PDB file of all heavy atoms in Angstrom:
ATOM      1  N   MET Q  98      -1.772  12.826  -7.754  1.00  0.00           N
ATOM      2  CA  MET Q  98      -0.966  12.242  -8.818  1.00  0.00           C
ATOM      3  C   MET Q  98      -1.148  12.903 -10.178  1.00  0.00           C
ATOM      4  O   MET Q  98      -0.180  13.100 -10.925  1.00  0.00           O
ATOM      5  CB  MET Q  98      -1.298  10.765  -8.929  1.00  0.00           C
ATOM      6  CG  MET Q  98      -0.510   9.976  -9.929  1.00  0.00           C
ATOM      7  SD  MET Q  98      -1.030   8.256  -9.848  1.00  0.00           S
ATOM      8  CE  MET Q  98      -2.768   8.395 -10.300  1.00  0.00           C
ATOM      9  N   VAL Q  99      -2.374  13.245 -10.557  1.00  0.00           N
ATOM     10  CA  VAL Q  99      -2.614  13.692 -11.921  1.00  0.00           C
ATOM     11  C   VAL Q  99      -1.908  15.009 -12.238  1.00  0.00           C
ATOM     12  O   VAL Q  99      -1.735  15.348 -13.411  1.00  0.00           O
ATOM     13  CB  VAL Q  99      -4.119  13.827 -12.208  1.00  0.00           C
ATOM     14  CG1 VAL Q  99      -4.793  12.456 -12.199  1.00  0.00           C
ATOM     15  CG2 VAL Q  99      -4.797  14.771 -11.211  1.00  0.00           C
ATOM     16  N   ASP Q 100      -1.482  15.748 -11.212  1.00  0.00           N
ATOM     17  CA  ASP Q 100      -0.763  16.995 -11.453  1.00  0.00           C
ATOM     18  C   ASP Q 100       0.701  16.765 -11.780  1.00  0.00           C
ATOM     19  O   ASP Q 100       1.368  17.654 -12.299  1.00  0.00           O
ATOM     20  CB  ASP Q 100      -0.862  17.911 -10.214  1.00  0.00           C
ATOM     21  CG  ASP Q 100      -2.302  18.365  -9.965  1.00  0.00           C
ATOM     22  OD1 ASP Q 100      -3.035  18.533 -10.943  1.00  0.00           O
ATOM     23  OD2 ASP Q 100      -2.644  18.528  -8.792  1.00  0.00           O
ATOM     24  N   ASP Q 101       1.227  15.576 -11.463  1.00  0.00           N
ATOM     25  CA  ASP Q 101       2.635  15.277 -11.720  1.00  0.00           C
ATOM     26  C   ASP Q 101       2.822  13.764 -11.738  1.00  0.00           C
ATOM     27  O   ASP Q 101       3.378  13.180 -10.806  1.00  0.00           O
ATOM     28  CB  ASP Q 101       3.527  15.924 -10.649  1.00  0.00           C
ATOM     29  CG  ASP Q 101       5.027  15.674 -10.889  1.00  0.00           C
ATOM     30  OD1 ASP Q 101       5.384  15.217 -11.995  1.00  0.00           O
ATOM     31  OD2 ASP Q 101       5.815  15.954  -9.961  1.00  0.00           O
ATOM     32  N   VAL Q 102       2.381  13.130 -12.800  1.00  0.00           N
ATOM     33  CA  VAL Q 102       2.425  11.674 -12.867  1.00  0.00           C
ATOM     34  C   VAL Q 102       3.861  11.166 -12.799  1.00  0.00           C
ATOM     35  O   VAL Q 102       4.167  10.236 -12.047  1.00  0.00           O
ATOM     36  CB  VAL Q 102       1.745  11.176 -14.158  1.00  0.00           C
ATOM     37  CG1 VAL Q 102       1.880   9.656 -14.278  1.00  0.00           C
ATOM     38  CG2 VAL Q 102       0.275  11.571 -14.158  1.00  0.00           C
ATOM     39  N   ASP Q 103       4.751  11.765 -13.561  1.00  0.00           N
ATOM     40  CA  ASP Q 103       6.146  11.313 -13.571  1.00  0.00           C
ATOM     41  C   ASP Q 103       6.791  11.389 -12.193  1.00  0.00           C
ATOM     42  O   ASP Q 103       7.443  10.446 -11.748  1.00  0.00           O
ATOM     43  CB  ASP Q 103       6.976  12.149 -14.566  1.00  0.00           C
ATOM     44  CG  ASP Q 103       6.659  11.825 -16.002  1.00  0.00           C
ATOM     45  OD1 ASP Q 103       5.482  11.570 -16.323  1.00  0.00           O
ATOM     46  OD2 ASP Q 103       7.587  11.821 -16.828  1.00  0.00           O
ATOM     47  N   GLY Q 104       6.601  12.514 -11.517  1.00  0.00           N
ATOM     48  CA  GLY Q 104       7.210  12.698 -10.209  1.00  0.00           C
ATOM     49  C   GLY Q 104       6.665  11.736  -9.171  1.00  0.00           C
ATOM     50  O   GLY Q 104       7.428  11.160  -8.382  1.00  0.00           O
ATOM     51  N   HIS Q 105       5.352  11.529  -9.173  1.00  0.00           N
ATOM     52  CA  HIS Q 105       4.780  10.635  -8.173  1.00  0.00           C
ATOM     53  C   HIS Q 105       5.097   9.176  -8.483  1.00  0.00           C
ATOM     54  O   HIS Q 105       5.284   8.369  -7.569  1.00  0.00           O
ATOM     55  CB  HIS Q 105       3.265  10.856  -8.093  1.00  0.00           C
ATOM     56  CG  HIS Q 105       2.913  12.125  -7.368  1.00  0.00           C
ATOM     57  ND1 HIS Q 105       2.560  13.288  -8.024  1.00  0.00           N
ATOM     58  CD2 HIS Q 105       2.887  12.426  -6.055  1.00  0.00           C
ATOM     59  CE1 HIS Q 105       2.322  14.234  -7.143  1.00  0.00           C
ATOM     60  NE2 HIS Q 105       2.502  13.750  -5.940  1.00  0.00           N
ATOM     61  N   ALA Q 106       5.165   8.814  -9.764  1.00  0.00           N
ATOM     62  CA  ALA Q 106       5.564   7.448 -10.104  1.00  0.00           C
ATOM     63  C   ALA Q 106       6.992   7.167  -9.656  1.00  0.00           C
ATOM     64  O   ALA Q 106       7.301   6.083  -9.138  1.00  0.00           O
ATOM     65  CB  ALA Q 106       5.436   7.246 -11.613  1.00  0.00           C
ATOM     66  N   ALA Q 107       7.874   8.155  -9.827  1.00  0.00           N
ATOM     67  CA  ALA Q 107       9.256   7.993  -9.380  1.00  0.00           C
ATOM     68  C   ALA Q 107       9.323   7.892  -7.854  1.00  0.00           C
ATOM     69  O   ALA Q 107      10.104   7.096  -7.302  1.00  0.00           O
ATOM     70  CB  ALA Q 107      10.103   9.168  -9.866  1.00  0.00           C
ATOM     71  N   THR Q 108       8.491   8.679  -7.159  1.00  0.00           N
ATOM     72  CA  THR Q 108       8.455   8.594  -5.689  1.00  0.00           C
ATOM     73  C   THR Q 108       7.960   7.240  -5.242  1.00  0.00           C
ATOM     74  O   THR Q 108       8.482   6.660  -4.269  1.00  0.00           O
ATOM     75  CB  THR Q 108       7.541   9.694  -5.139  1.00  0.00           C
ATOM     76  OG1 THR Q 108       8.096  10.988  -5.459  1.00  0.00           O
ATOM     77  CG2 THR Q 108       7.399   9.585  -3.614  1.00  0.00           C
ATOM     78  N   LEU Q 109       6.954   6.701  -5.907  1.00  0.00           N
ATOM     79  CA  LEU Q 109       6.447   5.367  -5.570  1.00  0.00           C
ATOM     80  C   LEU Q 109       7.553   4.323  -5.735  1.00  0.00           C
ATOM     81  O   LEU Q 109       7.690   3.418  -4.902  1.00  0.00           O
ATOM     82  CB  LEU Q 109       5.251   5.048  -6.459  1.00  0.00           C
ATOM     83  CG  LEU Q 109       4.493   3.757  -6.139  1.00  0.00           C
ATOM     84  CD1 LEU Q 109       3.891   3.806  -4.743  1.00  0.00           C
ATOM     85  CD2 LEU Q 109       3.390   3.516  -7.174  1.00  0.00           C
TER      86      LEU Q 109
END
Side-chain angles (χ1 to χ4, degrees):
M98 183 178 61
V99 293
D100 295 327
D101 181 13
V102 175
D103 287 37
H105 286 99
T108 297
L109 186 62

